[in-house]
Amino acid sequence: MEMRAVDDVDIGRDLTPALLPLAHALHDSFLASHCSSCFSPLTAPLSPPPAPVSVSCVFYCSQVCYASDSTLHVSSGELQLLLCHSPSEDGDTSDLRAALRLLAALGDSSCGDGCQRIKGLLTNRHKLLAPETTNVKLASKIQRGAEAMAAARQSQKTSSNVYGDMKGTMLEEAVICAVLTNAVEVQDSGGRILGIAIYDTDFSWINHSCSPNTCYRFQFCASSNAAVQSLSKSMTWISPFHCGVKMNNSASVQSGLGREYAEYGPRIMLRSIKSIEKGAEVTVAYTDILQPKAVRLSELHIKYQFTCNCTRCSVDPPTYVDQILQNFHEATNVFPMETGGVSLNKDDAIEKLTDWMDDIVASYFSDGDAESCCLELEKLLTVRIVEEDLKSDIGKIGQRNHCLLLHPLHYLSIEAHTILASAYKVRGNLLCPPPAETDSHTWEASGLNRTSAAYSLLLAGSVHYLFCFEPSLIGSAANFWANAGESLLNLASRIPAYPSTENNKASTCSLANQPASHPSNMHASYADFQSTTDDFLKCMSHFAREIWDLLTHGCPYLQGIRDPINFNWLETTSDLYSRSVRDVSHHELLRSSAEKGMAIFQLGVHCALYGKFLSSICYGGGSH
């Protein structure tokens, strides 16, 4: 099965109307804070009635959502599952609750072919529960979940005679497998994963690619919202094909559902992020594509039971992006071998570094010690990796030892930079807001906020560099540029003696008088995407060079990064840490901050605006 474009499609176009889910479920942690019908955050929640038991498990944002969902919440067995299932045994119950809702929505539908498909939705049951499966833990979880579902359905007397010939819990197992195979993680505008949703074949038949040409976004509104109703009637630009033959998709799952099951839930919309020719396959990413090939293949096989053979994964040698995401940086004149630090063998370095990072992050999330997290991650980023055939020569080479470091664009480096930007921000926010006069708290907070902004800018520049070679990374680039803009603007607002435009003449900006640079007019600039991008990068590079030394002051690792946006310097030097940095006094640094405050502000505005431009392509003009 696959979906293809029915006509030529430009970049930044909605390809489907706002599609309603077949079933959906909030994660357990959001049941009390978000509407169980539309997933909107609650203000004054309406609790469902206490019948049949005097326990309230879910909430709704309006009478409309309450009326559309509360009956199904009880009749599907979801309420009984929440009351009886122990979350400590198998964790979050959203998969089981979505499966119960899906089963209720299917009504008297049958499940043929050994439950390999349910109304066109692939289940993968024969793979996930195969005797030879390597994921025994998941298989056991599916079987326990099916038993819990069966018990919940029986308690609500929802079992149908249509399924009387199904042995044991085969049907429940198949529906859980269908959820695991087809469910989409529903994210809010801030990137939080609220829950999951399963959509009809109009969306579920879209295949994966590690270089996709589309992405998707969600709509969180009550079913009566006029704007969403209008989006639901938009034209579709895709059509299903099977083995190259166009299919009639009019007999979809949605058309067989009752009215009460087709007017609520988080809606999904597909949008082009590349130009697509008529008849070309339409694809999305099932996993994080800002990872090297081996990691992507492993995740896809574990979760979806297939080996990806998309163009990006099939090419030999690997694409430039996949090479650099797992690349090491050759360096001399790094930290001497006889001093502190860690040395690893290249052959097992990635496995050990990955485990090390997992431990650091787990410790950070458990104890909240942001300072320790920063110290450990920056130690990891500067770890020396020695090739096996050089280990015997270490004593002879001494301080000029030839070794390897994680490349600044290595996927582990990008992950570490992401956590560091957040951890430094947390540390800065924990200190008191800067008072009128400069004291020790102000000075420390200023340094932490500068470092957080520097890591955010480095992330945006790094991912943008990769995006230039892999256009499918546009969504990641949009998010990182927006985050960098927010971080820089936050820093600018904290600078003592914040400069005014009267005393600081702004640099001439090629975007200042262009209507296309304004968020409300960005769609007109899609046709000239490269020109708009070049204009933004020209301005951002100018401001970044002006303030980079200030942002990185006091952080040896960041001081080794010569330019956070233009990475051509990596091709011309082998000494990542050979850049000499002049030490400056507190007074000089404060004066420099005041003098360059306008440049920090302007860079923040440009980063935020460029992030908005990219985001509008991915998610539309109304995106966060």
Side-chain angles (χ1 to χ4, degrees), residues 165-450:
D165 60 340
M166 306 294 285
K167 294 182 178 180
T169 57
M170 181 185 295
L171 177 63
E172 286 83 1
E173 290 175 357
V175 177
I176 293 176
C177 291
V179 169
L180 294 176
T181 301
N182 296 279
V184 181
E185 292 182 333
V186 180
Q187 298 184 9
D188 65 9
S189 61
R192 290 184 305 172
I193 301 175
L194 303 177
I196 59 173
I198 302 93
Y199 295 91
D200 201 351
T201 52
D202 289 341
F203 182 82
S204 295
W205 280 358
I206 301 174
N207 287 323
H208 163 82
S209 172
C210 294
S211 182
N213 50 24
T214 69
C215 65
Y216 50 85
R217 72 180 191 273
F218 298 97
Q219 294 283 345
F220 303 99
C221 294
S223 58
S224 61
N225 184 280
V228 173
Q229 292 293 337
S230 176
L231 288 172
S232 300
K233 299 176 182 178
S234 302
M235 178 180 177
T236 180
W237 293 81
I238 61 177
S239 182
F241 281 73
H242 178 239
C243 298
V245 179
K246 186 175 182 179
M247 300 175 61
N248 180 6
N249 202 35
S250 59
S252 64
V253 182
Q254 288 270 7
S255 62
L257 300 182
R259 183 181 177 88
E260 65 272 23
Y261 298 139
E263 291 188 350
Y264 65 93
R267 295 160 172 80
I268 197 168
M269 295 186 71
L270 193 71
R271 191 170 175 87
S272 61
I273 56 174
K274 300 176 182 177
S275 296
I276 307 174
E277 294 183 356
K278 179 180 179 179
E281 184 176 8
V282 172
T283 56
V284 296
Y286 291 6
T287 190
D288 181 8
I289 58 175
L290 192 57
Q291 300 180 108
K293 176 181 175 180
V295 178
R296 299 194 309 270
L297 291 178
S298 176
E299 290 186 356
L300 290 169
H301 187 268
I302 290 173
K303 187 170 183 179
Y304 300 105
Q305 302 296 305
F306 72 85
T307 300
C308 183
N309 61 355
C310 70
T311 303
R312 182 178 169 189
C313 289
S314 302
V315 66
D316 187 24
T319 64
Y320 175 72
V321 170
D322 280 335
Q323 291 182 49
I324 204 167
L325 281 172
Q326 54 190 357
N327 198 17
F328 293 98
H329 184 76
E330 295 186 6
T332 58
N333 277 351
V334 293
F335 306 106
M337 295 298 294
E338 63 270 16
T339 62
V342 181
S343 176
L344 295 176
N345 182 348
K346 181 181 178 181
D347 294 338
D348 57 4
I350 293 302
E351 181 179 354
K352 290 184 177 180
L353 288 174
T354 301
D355 291 343
W356 188 3
M357 179 174 290
D358 290 343
D359 291 341
I360 295 172
V361 175
S363 177
Y364 176 39
F365 287 155
S366 64
D367 59 30
D369 189 346
E371 182 176 4
S372 175
C373 175
C374 293
L375 292 173
E376 286 297 309
L377 283 177
E378 286 174 344
K379 182 179 179 182
L380 180 149
L381 287 169
T382 55
V383 69
R384 298 165 310 227
I385 301 164
V386 183
E387 297 192 71
E388 185 66 31
D389 57 355
L390 293 176
K391 291 185 73 175
S392 60
D393 296 330
I394 288 177
K396 300 177 181 178
I397 300 175
Q399 294 189 5
R400 298 288 299 181
N401 175 51
H402 180 91
C403 62
L404 305 174
L405 295 171
L406 278 179
H407 195 285
L409 302 180
H410 192 285
Y411 78 100
L412 287 179
S413 297
I414 293 176
E415 183 177 346
H417 296 162
T418 304
I419 301 168
L420 283 164
S422 175
Y424 271 106
K425 180 179 179 180
V426 169
R427 292 174 62 188
N429 290 341
L430 287 175
L431 299 178
C432 298
E437 68 279 358
T438 301
D439 58 16
S440 59
H441 285 288
T442 304
W443 177 257
E444 185 178 356
S446 175
L448 296 172
N449 288 321
R450 286 199 313 273

Side-chain angles (χ1 to χ4, degrees), residues 14-218:
D14 289 333
L15 301 183
T16 65
L19 302 174
L20 288 155
L22 297 174
H24 62 283
L26 286 167
H27 286 322
D28 293 355
S29 58
F30 291 102
L31 284 173
S33 61
H34 286 68
C35 177
S36 284
S37 176
C38 68
F39 283 24
S40 297
L42 297 174
T43 52
L46 297 173
S47 174
V53 291
S54 58
V55 176
S56 176
C57 295
V58 299
F59 299 88
Y60 301 102
C61 67
S62 66
Q63 289 290 348
V64 172
C65 285
Y66 168 75
S68 69
D69 186 83
S70 57
T71 300
L72 179 61
H73 170 62
V74 176
S75 64
S76 66
E78 181 186 19
L79 172 62
Q80 191 65 26
L81 181 78
L82 283 170
L83 295 176
C84 299
H85 188 72
S86 173
S88 59
E89 182 178 6
D90 286 318
D92 189 89
T93 64
S94 57
D95 289 343
L96 302 185
R97 290 185 285 110
L100 282 169
R101 286 170 168 264
L102 180 60
L103 197 49
L106 294 176
D108 59 357
S109 303
S110 61
C111 179
D113 299 327
C115 289
Q116 292 188 32
R117 285 188 181 272
I118 297 180
K119 279 288 188 176
L121 300 179
L122 184 67
T123 69
N124 268 336
R125 178 181 178 275
H126 61 297
K127 294 182 179 179
L128 293 171
L129 296 180
E132 64 275 12
T133 181
T134 56
N135 198 338
V136 178
K137 184 177 180 181
L138 176 60
S140 177
K141 180 180 178 180
I142 292 172
Q143 292 167 344
R144 290 194 302 272
E147 294 171 358
M149 280 180 59
R153 294 178 70 226
Q154 183 61 41
S155 68
Q156 295 299 325
K157 299 181 180 180
T158 58
S159 298
S160 170
N161 291 332
V162 174
Y163 304 114
D165 60 340
M166 306 294 285
K167 294 182 178 180
T169 57
M170 181 185 295
L171 177 63
E172 286 83 1
E173 290 175 357
V175 177
I176 293 176
C177 291
V179 169
L180 294 176
T181 301
N182 296 279
V184 181
E185 292 182 333
V186 180
Q187 298 184 9
D188 65 9
S189 61
R192 290 184 305 172
I193 301 175
L194 303 177
I196 59 173
I198 302 93
Y199 295 91
D200 201 351
T201 52
D202 289 341
F203 182 82
S204 295
W205 280 358
I206 301 174
N207 287 323
H208 163 82
S209 172
C210 294
S211 182
N213 50 24
T214 69
C215 65
Y216 50 85
R217 72 180 191 273
F218 298 97

Side-chain angles (χ1 to χ4, degrees), residues 567-587:
F567 287 89
N568 291 333
W569 57 272
L570 283 172
E571 302 173 3
T572 60
T573 178
S574 62
D575 292 343
L576 182 61
Y577 293 98
S578 62
R579 189 165 72 114
S580 59
V581 180
R582 184 177 68 87
D583 191 23
V584 297
S585 66
H586 290 188
H587 176 73

